[in-house]
Amino acid sequence: MDVDLRLVRYFTVVAEYGNFGRAATRLHLAQPSLSRQIQRLEAQLGVRLLDRSPQGSSLTDAGRAFLPRARILLQEAELAARVARAAVRPRALTVGCAEGLVITACTQELRRRHPEGQVRTRHLDWRDTRALAEGRVDALIAYKPLPFPTGGFRVTTLHEEPRVLVTSASHPLADEKAVSLRALSDEELVACVSTPVLWSTPKPVGGRPAPLQPAIDDSFEDKLELVATGHCVAVFPASDRRAAVREDIALVPVIDSDPCEVVLVTRADDPNPLLGSLEDVARTLLGAVTPQENGTLPVNWRPAPMSSNDLG
């Protein structure tokens, strides 16, 4: 029997969400198209996998029996592809980097140690949660919380760092040497599910009404506009330098917030021989904490401007 693995993956996503609409959004497909693909899989297998209703979808007995095997099938296919690529390109490595982090020094040192290797970087949007599982990157350097389950992955802590308040340059706290979270008690800070950034709920400023709450598909730049106009504040990891390029935005050290954790994530079963060297380089170069030992940042600290080399 020829089973299309793409259809199998579609089925596992629908089973995870229990709703064709949400699964279609996750897969970047139109809902009718996703429904047809699942019907194709059911026709190939000769069984109905999902019961559909206005309230959502539920697994049939056949679907419940098929789901764990389907996941194993996808995992084995991904492993087979990685092993094949490793056999042909034993000296190639693609390092993924989450938004807000700069890994240029790390990749340059890795290239210096392995001049025969092919070291690439890929900067990932926070929505791209499957780049590591699908083999589009071989390692990921990111902040916690990670936007995907960590089963089957090896997670190595590189360092912890404090946070900074990101606010408009005209905000009353913009010129402070450091601030406490208590100074933000009138802000409704909301933690992002998949990133370490906290954004405040928009509020009126100077008689101007509050803008609408940012939508999930709004870009980082869209949200930063709300900060620059004084409608919002945010709390970032100290090394996230994306807001530092704007003159209308100020960064102020936060002295009493929980630190952010930067980690290296790799697949637990990956045979790539460059991964060991990457971990050593990352621990050496990314394990050093920029802030001072007391957990705060230097007075008037501001990240250095980004250059084109920081794009990896």
Side-chain angles (χ1 to χ4, degrees), residues 268-285:
D269 56 2
D270 197 324
N272 193 316
L274 287 178
L275 287 174
S277 185
L278 171 63
E279 181 175 336
D280 180 58
V281 169
R283 284 182 180 275
T284 300
L285 295 180

Side-chain angles (χ1 to χ4, degrees), residues 103-134:
I103 60 171
T104 307
C106 181
T107 54
Q108 284 180 336
E109 174 61 17
L110 195 61
R111 291 176 182 126
R112 188 192 67 79
R113 294 189 186 187
H114 302 278
E116 79 290 353
Q118 297 179 6
V119 179
R120 305 181 183 89
T121 59
R122 183 186 294 269
H123 285 250
L124 301 174
D125 183 274
W126 67 271
R127 300 177 184 87
D128 192 353
T129 60
R130 292 190 54 80
L132 188 58
E134 293 176 352

Side-chain angles (χ1 to χ4, degrees), residues 2 4 28 31 56 130 153 178 181-182 186 188 229 252 262 267 288:
D2 293 327
D4 189 333
H28 305 291
Q31 184 173 336
R130 292 190 54 80
F153 296 103
L181 287 177
R182 291 189 298 273
D186 60 338
E188 185 180 351
T229 56
V252 185
V262 177
R267 294 180 292 268

Side-chain angles (χ1 to χ4, degrees), residues 168-225:
S168 70
S170 59
H171 193 281
L173 297 176
D175 294 325
E176 294 292 324
K177 295 179 180 179
V179 297
S180 166
L181 287 177
R182 291 189 298 273
L184 305 176
S185 58
D186 60 338
E187 302 284 354
E188 185 180 351
L189 293 173
V190 179
C192 294
V193 175
S194 302
T195 75
V197 177
L198 287 76
W199 300 93
S200 70
T201 301
K203 62 181 182 181
V205 174
R208 292 170 290 161
L212 295 175
Q213 182 76 14
I216 191 171
D217 57 348
D218 283 352
S219 69
F220 170 84
E221 290 74 16
D222 293 328
K223 296 176 181 177
L224 211 57
E225 282 297 318

Side-chain angles (χ1 to χ4, degrees), residues 51-68:
D51 284 328
R52 300 154 178 84
S53 71
Q55 288 73 38
S57 62
S58 59
L59 293 170
T60 63
D61 289 342
R64 282 189 289 273
F66 181 61
L67 181 58

Side-chain angles (χ1 to χ4, degrees), residues 239-277:
S239 65
D240 187 334
R241 305 188 296 177
R242 291 174 292 172
V245 298
R246 297 188 56 150
E247 295 296 331
D248 54 357
I249 288 179
L251 307 182
V252 185
V254 178
I255 60 175
D256 56 357
S257 64
D258 292 334
C260 299
E261 190 173 344
V262 177
V263 296
L264 169 67
V265 190
T266 57
R267 294 180 292 268
D269 56 2
D270 197 324
N272 193 316
L274 287 178
L275 287 174
S277 185

